[in-house]
Amino acid sequence: MDIVVKGRKTEVPDRFRKHVAEKLKLEKIQKLDGKVISLDVEVSKEPNPRQADRCDRVEITLRSRGPVIRAEAAASDPYAALDMAAEKLDARLRKQHDKRFSRRGARRISAAEVPDHVPGAATLNGNGLPVGEEETDGVPTTKIGSLEVKGEGPLVVREKTHVASPMSLDQALYEMELVGHDFYLFVDSETKEPSVVYRRHAYDYGVIHLSTDPMVAEAQPPAAGGTLGG
């Protein structure tokens, strides 16, 4: 399999083609996906001078017997855009590889085994109701994780706790792009407060910082949290 490099409305120099071959190592890619059929790299240039900081765009398309994987990035030069797109491709390939591996090693379990394998799973009584469910004024109350849900309250599908080291805003943006998500929760190394970076429009980003006000906390009940807006 060869890497096909092509330009859209721009010329692709031989030096860049050589850099593509060095950056996208086929042996490494085929270890993560042994059914790769083709790998295409398309380079395009945005003529608008207002977008000079992201005028060069690189899109990598990997086709295999499974789903097509794409990764693209834009920067002020094609080499930087290629490096960013290659990092995204590597992260998505690893994610797909891990997903296949976990599926391969998984086995079906019976309903009776669910409480032994799934923490916090409900155990049903003889009437088909979760054990521990109580009636309060005719409205059932169910314990789900650390919450008590009354009636048809919010359903917490999964609850996770992560241990994270404080990091800078630039590092948080890098980590978000690496995992391919639209937002990333982190602890700001300067303020030591929880913060969220998120994708807004195109390649613009936003950041939300949370800070604690002792006076407000004493005067008002705890709020539900901030929203991603703006």
Side-chain angles (χ1 to χ4, degrees), residues 60 72 105 117 216:
I60 305 173
E72 62 178 326
H117 290 80
V216 175

Side-chain angles (χ1 to χ4, degrees), residues 6-18:
K6 56 185 178 181
R8 180 158 55 91
K9 299 180 181 179
T10 186
E11 293 291 332
V12 181
D14 292 338
R15 179 188 171 193
F16 183 80
R17 295 178 186 274
K18 182 179 179 181

Side-chain angles (χ1 to χ4, degrees), residues 58-185:
V58 172
E59 179 177 336
I60 305 173
T61 304
L62 186 148
R63 294 180 174 85
S64 67
R65 296 180 186 177
V68 175
I69 299 177
R70 285 190 176 88
E72 62 178 326
S76 56
D77 67 84
Y79 294 91
L82 174 65
D83 291 348
M84 293 168 60
E87 288 176 357
K88 291 182 181 180
L89 179 71
D90 183 70
R92 291 169 188 175
L93 271 172
R94 291 183 183 280
K95 184 177 180 180
Q96 193 71 20
H97 176 268
D98 294 342
K99 187 183 296 184
R100 285 196 302 267
F101 181 79
S102 60
R103 285 178 179 173
R104 200 174 295 139
R107 68 176 183 87
R108 293 181 178 273
I109 61 175
S110 65
E113 294 178 293
V114 169
D116 297 330
H117 290 80
V118 182
T123 303
L124 304 183
N125 59 22
N127 297 323
L129 296 175
V131 173
E133 185 178 272
E134 301 175 355
E135 295 287 337
T136 305
D137 299 330
V139 179
T141 301
T142 308
K143 183 90 170 171
I144 301 179
S146 59
L147 297 178
E148 285 189 358
V149 180
K150 187 174 182 180
E152 297 181 357
L155 177 61
V156 178
V157 178
R158 183 169 55 183
E159 182 179 0
K160 280 190 173 182
T161 301
H162 292 279
V163 178
S165 300
M167 64 179 66
S168 65
L169 176 59
D170 289 342
Q171 180 65 23
L173 288 171
Y174 173 79
E175 295 290 342
M176 183 181 73
E177 291 293 349
L178 188 62
V179 298
H181 290 173
D182 292 328
F183 68 93
Y184 191 82
L185 175 64

Side-chain angles (χ1 to χ4, degrees), residues 11-12 26-27 31 38-39 42 44 48 54 56 71 80 105 114 123 142 147 162 166 170 186-187 189 198 200 214:
E11 293 291 332
V12 181
L26 292 178
E27 299 83 1
K31 281 183 179 180
S38 64
L39 184 62
E42 184 179 86
S44 60
N48 189 347
R54 53 178 185 272
D56 289 286
V114 169
T123 303
T142 308
L147 297 178
H162 292 279
D170 289 342
F186 69 104
V187 177
S189 57
Y198 62 96
R200 295 183 73 249

